[in-house]
Coordinates of all heavy atoms in Angstrom, one line a residue:
A1 N 281.0 81.8 48.9 CA 281.6 80.7 49.6 C 280.8 79.4 49.4 O 281.0 78.4 50.1 CB 282.0 80.9 51.0
R2 N 279.7 79.4 48.6 CA 278.9 78.3 48.3 C 279.7 77.2 47.6 O 280.5 77.5 46.7 CB 277.7 78.6 47.5 CG 276.6 79.4 48.3 CD 275.4 79.7 47.5 NE 275.7 80.5 46.3 CZ 274.8 80.8 45.4 NH1 273.5 80.4 45.5 NH2 275.1 81.6 44.4
K3 N 279.5 76.0 48.0 CA 280.2 74.8 47.3 C 279.6 74.7 45.9 O 278.5 74.8 45.6 CB 279.9 73.5 48.0 CG 280.6 72.3 47.5 CD 280.3 71.1 48.4 CE 281.0 69.9 47.9 NZ 280.7 68.7 48.7
R4 N 280.6 74.6 44.9 CA 280.1 74.5 43.5 C 279.8 73.0 43.2 O 280.5 72.1 43.6 CB 281.3 74.9 42.6 CG 281.6 76.5 42.7 CD 282.8 76.9 41.9 NE 283.1 78.3 42.1 CZ 284.3 78.8 42.2 NH1 285.3 78.0 42.1 NH2 284.5 80.0 42.5
R5 N 278.8 72.8 42.3 CA 278.5 71.5 41.8 C 279.6 71.2 40.7 O 279.9 72.1 40.0 CB 277.1 71.5 41.2 CG 276.0 71.9 42.3 CD 274.8 72.4 41.7 NE 274.1 71.5 40.7 CZ 273.2 72.0 40.0 NH1 272.7 73.3 39.9 NH2 272.5 71.1 39.1
C6 N 280.0 70.0 40.6 CA 281.1 69.6 39.7 C 280.7 68.4 38.7 O 279.9 67.6 39.2 CB 282.4 69.2 40.5 SG 283.1 70.5 41.5
G7 N 281.2 68.4 37.6 CA 280.9 67.4 36.6 C 281.9 67.3 35.5 O 282.8 68.2 35.4
W8 N 281.7 66.3 34.6 CA 282.6 66.2 33.5 C 282.5 67.4 32.5 O 281.4 68.0 32.5 CB 282.3 64.9 32.7 CG 282.6 63.7 33.5 CD1 281.7 62.7 33.8 CD2 283.8 63.2 34.0 NE1 282.3 61.7 34.5 CE2 283.7 62.0 34.6 CE3 285.1 63.7 34.0 CZ2 284.7 61.2 35.2 CZ3 286.1 63.0 34.6 CH2 285.9 61.8 35.2
F9 N 283.5 67.5 31.7 CA 283.4 68.6 30.6 C 282.3 68.3 29.7 O 282.2 67.2 29.1 CB 284.8 68.6 29.9 CG 284.9 69.8 28.9 CD1 285.1 71.0 29.3 CD2 284.6 69.5 27.6 CE1 285.2 72.1 28.4 CE2 284.7 70.6 26.7 CZ 285.0 71.9 27.1
D10 N 281.5 69.4 29.4 CA 280.4 69.3 28.5 C 280.7 70.0 27.2 O 280.6 71.2 27.1 CB 279.1 69.9 29.2 CG 277.8 69.5 28.5 OD1 277.9 69.4 27.2 OD2 276.8 69.5 29.1
A11 N 281.2 69.2 26.3 CA 281.6 69.8 25.0 C 280.4 70.4 24.2 O 280.5 71.3 23.4 CB 282.4 68.7 24.1
V12 N 279.2 69.8 24.4 CA 278.0 70.2 23.7 C 277.7 71.7 24.1 O 277.5 72.5 23.2 CB 276.8 69.3 24.0 CG1 275.6 69.8 23.2 CG2 277.2 67.9 23.6
L13 N 277.7 72.0 25.4 CA 277.4 73.3 25.9 C 278.5 74.3 25.4 O 278.1 75.4 25.0 CB 277.3 73.3 27.4 CG 276.1 72.6 28.0 CD1 276.2 72.8 29.6 CD2 274.8 73.3 27.5
V14 N 279.7 74.0 25.6 CA 280.8 74.9 25.2 C 280.8 75.2 23.7 O 281.0 76.3 23.3 CB 282.1 74.4 25.7 CG1 283.3 75.3 25.2 CG2 282.2 74.3 27.2
R15 N 280.5 74.2 22.9 CA 280.4 74.4 21.5 C 279.3 75.4 21.2 O 279.4 76.3 20.3 CB 280.2 73.1 20.7 CG 280.1 73.3 19.2 CD 280.1 71.9 18.5 NE 278.9 71.1 19.0 CZ 278.8 69.8 19.1 NH1 279.8 69.1 18.6 NH2 277.6 69.2 19.5
Q16 N 278.2 75.2 21.9 CA 277.1 76.1 21.7 C 277.4 77.5 22.1 O 277.0 78.5 21.4 CB 275.9 75.6 22.5 CG 274.6 76.4 22.3 CD 273.3 75.6 22.7 OE1 273.3 74.4 22.6 NE2 272.3 76.4 23.3
T17 N 278.0 77.8 23.3 CA 278.3 79.1 23.7 C 279.4 79.7 22.8 O 279.4 81.0 22.6 CB 278.9 79.1 25.1 OG1 280.1 78.4 25.2 CG2 277.8 78.5 26.1
I18 N 280.3 78.9 22.2 CA 281.2 79.5 21.3 C 280.6 80.0 20.0 O 280.9 81.0 19.5 CB 282.3 78.4 20.9 CG1 283.2 78.2 22.1 CG2 283.0 78.7 19.6 CD1 284.1 77.0 21.9
K19 N 279.5 79.2 19.5 CA 278.9 79.6 18.3 C 278.0 80.8 18.6 O 277.9 81.8 17.7 CB 278.0 78.5 17.8 CG 278.8 77.3 17.2 CD 277.9 76.3 16.7 CE 278.7 75.0 16.2 NZ 279.6 75.3 15.1
I20 N 277.3 81.0 19.8 CA 276.5 82.1 20.1 C 277.3 83.4 20.3 O 276.9 84.5 19.9 CB 275.8 81.8 21.4 CG1 274.6 80.8 21.2 CG2 275.2 83.1 22.0 CD1 274.1 80.3 22.5
S21 N 278.6 83.2 20.8 CA 279.4 84.4 21.2 C 280.4 84.7 20.2 O 281.1 85.8 20.4 CB 280.0 84.0 22.6 OG 279.1 83.6 23.5
G22 N 280.7 84.0 19.2 CA 281.7 84.3 18.3 C 283.1 84.2 18.8 O 284.0 85.0 18.5
I23 N 283.3 83.3 19.8 CA 284.6 83.1 20.5 C 285.7 82.7 19.5 O 285.4 81.7 18.7 CB 284.4 82.1 21.6 CG1 283.6 82.8 22.8 CG2 285.8 81.6 22.1 CD1 283.3 81.8 23.9
N24 N 286.8 83.3 19.5 CA 287.9 83.0 18.6 C 288.7 81.9 19.1 O 289.2 81.0 18.3 CB 288.8 84.2 18.4 CG 288.1 85.4 17.7 OD1 287.7 86.4 18.4 ND2 288.0 85.3 16.4
A25 N 288.9 81.8 20.4 CA 289.7 80.7 21.0 C 289.4 80.6 22.5 O 288.8 81.5 23.1 CB 291.2 80.9 20.8
I26 N 289.7 79.5 23.1 CA 289.5 79.3 24.5 C 290.8 79.3 25.3 O 291.9 78.9 24.8 CB 288.7 78.1 24.8 CG1 289.5 76.8 24.5 CG2 287.4 78.1 24.2 CD1 288.9 75.6 25.2
A27 N 290.8 79.8 26.5 CA 291.8 79.6 27.5 C 291.4 78.5 28.4 O 290.4 78.7 29.2 CB 292.1 80.9 28.3
L28 N 292.0 77.3 28.4 CA 291.6 76.2 29.1 C 292.3 76.3 30.5 O 293.5 76.3 30.7 CB 292.1 74.9 28.4 CG 291.6 73.5 29.0 CD1 290.0 73.5 28.8 CD2 292.3 72.4 28.3
T29 N 291.4 76.2 31.6 CA 292.0 76.4 32.9 C 291.8 75.1 33.7 O 291.0 74.2 33.4 CB 291.2 77.5 33.6 OG1 289.8 77.2 33.8 CG2 291.3 78.8 32.9
K30 N 292.6 75.0 34.8 CA 292.5 73.9 35.8 C 292.7 72.5 35.2 O 292.1 71.6 35.7 CB 291.1 74.0 36.6 CG 291.0 75.2 37.4 CD 289.9 75.1 38.5 CE 289.9 76.2 39.5 NZ 289.0 76.1 40.6
L31 N 293.5 72.4 34.3 CA 293.8 71.1 33.7 C 294.5 70.2 34.8 O 294.2 69.0 34.8 CB 294.9 71.3 32.5 CG 295.3 70.0 31.8 CD1 294.1 69.4 31.0 CD2 296.5 70.1 31.0
D32 N 295.3 70.8 35.7 CA 295.9 70.1 36.8 C 295.0 69.4 37.7 O 295.4 68.3 38.3 CB 296.9 70.9 37.5 CG 296.2 72.2 38.1 OD1 295.7 73.0 37.3 OD2 296.2 72.3 39.3
V33 N 293.7 69.8 37.8 CA 292.7 69.2 38.7 C 292.5 67.8 38.3 O 292.1 67.0 39.1 CB 291.5 70.0 38.8 CG1 290.4 69.4 39.5 CG2 291.7 71.4 39.4
L34 N 292.6 67.4 37.0 CA 292.4 66.2 36.4 C 293.5 65.1 36.6 O 293.4 64.0 36.2 CB 292.0 66.2 35.0 CG 290.9 67.2 34.6 CD1 290.7 67.2 33.0 CD2 289.6 66.9 35.3
D35 N 294.6 65.6 37.2 CA 295.9 64.8 37.2 C 295.7 63.4 37.8 O 296.4 62.5 37.3 CB 297.0 65.6 37.9 CG 297.6 66.7 37.1 OD1 297.2 66.8 35.9 OD2 298.3 67.5 37.7
E36 N 294.9 63.2 38.8 CA 294.9 62.0 39.5 C 293.9 61.0 39.1 O 293.8 59.9 39.6 CB 294.7 62.3 41.1 CG 295.7 63.1 41.7 CD 295.4 63.3 43.2 OE1 294.4 62.9 43.6 OE2 296.3 64.0 43.9
L37 N 293.1 61.4 38.0 CA 292.0 60.5 37.6 C 292.4 59.4 36.7 O 293.3 59.7 35.8 CB 290.9 61.3 36.9 CG 290.3 62.5 37.7 CD1 289.3 63.3 37.0 CD2 289.6 61.9 39.0
D38 N 291.9 58.2 36.9 CA 292.2 57.1 36.0 C 291.6 57.2 34.6 O 292.2 56.9 33.6 CB 291.7 55.8 36.6 CG 292.6 55.4 37.9 OD1 293.8 55.6 37.9 OD2 291.8 55.1 38.9
E39 N 290.4 57.7 34.6 CA 289.6 58.0 33.4 C 289.0 59.3 33.4 O 288.5 59.8 34.5 CB 288.5 56.8 33.3 CG 287.7 56.9 32.1 CD 286.5 55.9 32.1 OE1 285.9 55.7 33.2 OE2 286.2 55.3 31.1
I40 N 288.9 59.9 32.3 CA 288.3 61.2 32.2 C 287.2 61.1 31.1 O 287.5 60.6 29.9 CB 289.3 62.3 31.8 CG1 290.4 62.3 32.9 CG2 288.7 63.6 31.5 CD1 291.7 63.1 32.6
K41 N 286.1 61.7 31.3 CA 285.0 61.7 30.4 C 284.7 63.1 29.8 O 284.9 64.1 30.5 CB 283.8 61.1 31.0 CG 284.0 59.6 31.3 CD 282.7 59.0 31.9 CE 282.9 57.5 32.3 NZ 281.7 56.9 32.8

């Protein structure tokens, strides 16, 4: 039940984990959380 730290999407990190892991594709979750934002980084 600890509060999670939140931040912008880190494409550098995800690209790295994809290469390390041989990931074929991603399932993108919680897109709706970004609905109210004026700008997304």
